[in-house]
Amino acid sequence: MSSDQKSLKQIIDHRIEKLNKIIDGGINPYPHSFDKKNEISTYKNESSIGKSVKTAGRIVSLRKMGKASFLNIQDESGKIQIYLKNNLLPENNYDIVGRNIDLGDIVGVTGEIFKTKTDEISIRASEITMLSKNIRPLPNLKEKDGKAFNSFEDKELRYRHRELDLIVNPEIISTFRLRSKIISETRKFLDNNGFLEVDTPVLQSVYGGANARPFNTFHNTLDQNLFMRIAVELYLKRLIIGGIEKVYELGKNFRNEGMDRNHNPEFTMLEIYEAYKDVYQTAEFTEKLIKYVANKIDKEDVLFGGNDISFKKPFLKTTMAEELLKATGLNVLEMDESELFNLAKSKNVDVNPKMNYGKLLDELFSKLVEPTLIQPTFVFDYPKAISPLAKSKRDGNENIVERFELFIGGMEFANAFSELNDPIEQRKRLEAQAKLRDLGDDEAQIVDENFLQAIETGMPPTGGVGIGIDRLIMLLTGENSIKDVIFFPAMRPE
RNA sequence: GACCCGAUAGCUCAGCAGGUAGAGCAACGGCCUUUUAAGCCGUGGGUCGAGCGUUCGAGCCGCUCUCGGGUCACCA
């Protein structure tokens, strides 16, 4: 034991002493169940005075005064004050349990609602039951009228010990309740529209469907390296080929890349594919989905990153070239690689000579345009060079594909294509990616022979979209860090 | 990966040209049968993130490292 834990050890030792006193008194400090009949807040009102209650929760404040004590217990519904008085409790109940309770214990309380002389609705206990003795102290939980005094604020500790965060800062639960609701409403919308939810492999021998570096793992019995999936796209297309015309998967992807406010190495992604649709119909459907969810959780107007964002109006529609024209006064579609390169240089966009036409455009766009896209905006018409799974534009422009990305608050939320279903073309595109990989682009995609063979079987025209669910949750809850919408965000080991 | 900021008691924080630590709460003890931010009174608790250096002397100055926060890069 390091000496910086001396004081903590003292506290723990004292609590264990109390624990033993309870055991010596013939009471099990960790009983197997408790018949909790009421949530704490159920009867916390004037009209319930006199009612009998049986509830349970964690002690979050405590004032012992000899033969009487006041404590506040908390559950998910709220807090209530408990009044313990020696002569109102069964024999020895106060001496064995009441005198040995601490902040952080979980107790059951039987009693009656009453009002103290300072007008606080409380429970006058007729019995207190120890349900779980705390032996490790909680952070301070002082608060009054919703204002915290000594609180638990260290973000690192809060993320690493989320259970403490939930106890001390219970208001964060509302974000996670919304998270759950957003996900369930998303499923409901898709299910009601006839989509089938599926599960496809997380462990894959070939990864694909996005440009990203994967996590590696190993299967002992197969004696084989495996990758954690970076997308579900290729598998869902195989299901489309198999005849499941409306399909989606909502689950975790894993990308081996940097972490910041908008990125966690494992994150929740929704991918939706519908046969016989194109990217424009997919955009309409995406808009409907997001508006449906926003409406269901009553967040049609949100404040996100300092901007008021509304989901009531139609989403804006534009193209990459149109926005770049606005930003630079130049028509990028008429420029070649070196002209684009010079343009990027002149705008102080960080580019290097290795970048191709598509990457240069993408770089220009993300620096000059993305931050300005605040209200929900579909951006169409992306360069083919950075879209190996998307179909060429039907107007014959060989450099552009049918793709959109959806931006809100300057951040990307969705990515969608008219899915490429020409097997010859798809093979060429993936082989081109393989060349990039050979040239050192370790985020270029891999030739997935199983996928290519499936496409050769014949895939119907298909519209597909991927939506970043954690980001959608950030947007709808107004949280500015992905760490605040994930219970246990990735952290370095302590 | 780069830069900036941070790390002092269980929690929240203070500390000073550099003179080997302080408050509140928590904890413990006493009083105490209705308190309201923590009832009242008292007591204990720290190798100041880790290491190295400068110095008679380092929580404080310098360097290195670890972890976190932020900005950027990378990336959706």
Side-chain angles (χ1 to χ4, degrees), chain A residues 332-346:
Chain A
V332 293
L333 296 179
E334 292 170 353
M335 297 167 72
D336 64 20
E337 238 172 61
S338 66
E339 287 171 320
L340 274 185
F341 182 82
N342 291 330
L343 172 61
K345 280 283 173 204
S346 74

Side-chain angles (χ1 to χ4, degrees), chain A residues 206-214 230-231 233-234 237 255 359 384-390 403 415 417 419-420 426-448 451-452:
Chain A
V206 178
Y207 63 93
N211 293 65
R213 280 175 293 171
I230 58 171
E233 172 147 358
L234 304 188
K237 283 181 180 170
R255 297 188 184 176
K359 289 220 163 153
K384 184 183 285 181
I386 56 168
S387 314
L389 300 168
R403 171 178 179 181
N415 180 23
F417 318 134
E419 302 294 341
L420 178 56
Q426 182 66 85
R427 186 175 289 276
K428 272 193 215 153
R429 299 263 203 102
L430 286 183
E431 281 168 356
Q433 288 285 309
K435 281 201 187 103
L436 289 178
R437 170 168 289 273
D438 291 342
L439 293 173
D441 181 353
D442 56 3
E443 277 149 14
Q445 300 196 23
I446 288 182
V447 178
D448 181 337
F451 168 67
L452 286 172

Side-chain angles (χ1 to χ4, degrees), chain A residues 134-325:
Chain A
N134 165 295
I135 59 169
R136 181 173 292 273
L138 297 173
N140 280 350
L141 330 112
K142 303 298 174 194
E143 64 126 355
K144 168 75 171 175
D145 301 329
K147 185 185 167 199
F149 288 87
N150 292 315
S151 190
F152 184 53
E153 291 166 358
D154 185 307
K155 288 221 165 182
E156 177 174 357
L157 289 176
R158 292 178 60 190
Y159 295 143
R160 288 188 195 278
H161 300 282
R162 188 66 96 173
E163 66 285 354
L164 296 178
D165 195 21
L166 286 164
I167 294 165
V168 180
N169 302 310
E171 69 281 357
I172 68 165
I173 296 171
S174 64
T175 295
F176 289 95
R177 284 187 184 286
L178 271 178
R179 179 184 174 106
S180 172
K181 178 92 171 149
I182 288 163
I183 289 174
S184 65
E185 290 296 344
T186 298
R187 284 203 163 96
K188 202 177 293 175
F189 179 85
L190 291 166
D191 295 344
N192 289 343
N193 277 280
F195 283 80
L196 180 71
E197 180 172 11
V198 298
D199 289 290
T200 64
V202 170
L203 298 176
Q204 309 179 343
S205 51
V206 178
Y207 63 93
N211 293 65
R213 280 175 293 171
F215 285 92
N216 301 306
T217 185
F218 185 76
H219 191 293
N220 290 338
T221 303
L222 294 177
D223 189 26
Q224 183 196 12
N225 288 308
L226 291 171
F227 303 101
M228 311 280 280
R229 69 182 178 196
I230 58 171
V232 299
E233 172 147 358
L234 304 188
Y235 280 103
L236 295 194
K237 283 181 180 170
R238 288 167 70 178
L239 296 177
I240 288 274
I241 292 163
I244 302 175
E245 295 184 359
K246 295 178 167 200
V247 67
Y248 76 95
E249 180 159 1
L250 201 169
K252 290 267 182 84
N253 284 346
F254 308 84
R255 297 188 184 176
N256 210 336
E257 55 197 31
M259 298 147 61
D260 61 26
R261 181 153 40 109
N262 301 320
H263 296 83
N264 196 60
E266 59 179 287
F267 62 100
T268 302
M269 177 87 142
L270 169 66
E271 290 195 38
I272 308 167
Y273 292 82
E274 184 172 7
Y276 309 111
K277 303 292 183 189
D278 64 20
V279 78
Y280 304 103
Q281 292 164 305
T282 301
E284 276 174 41
F285 188 72
T286 301
E287 180 168 348
K288 270 189 206 155
L289 166 61
I290 290 173
K291 285 178 168 173
Y292 172 90
V293 173
N295 172 268
K296 285 292 176 183
I297 64 166
D298 200 22
K299 296 280 180 187
E300 292 184 293
D301 292 288
V302 296
L303 181 65
F304 181 68
N307 294 303
D308 288 310
I309 290 164
S310 172
F311 298 107
K312 287 179 176 157
K313 288 174 275 185
F315 289 7
L316 303 171
K317 289 180 176 154
T318 184
T319 67
M320 201 182 224
E322 198 176 311
E323 293 305 308
L324 282 170
L325 178 63

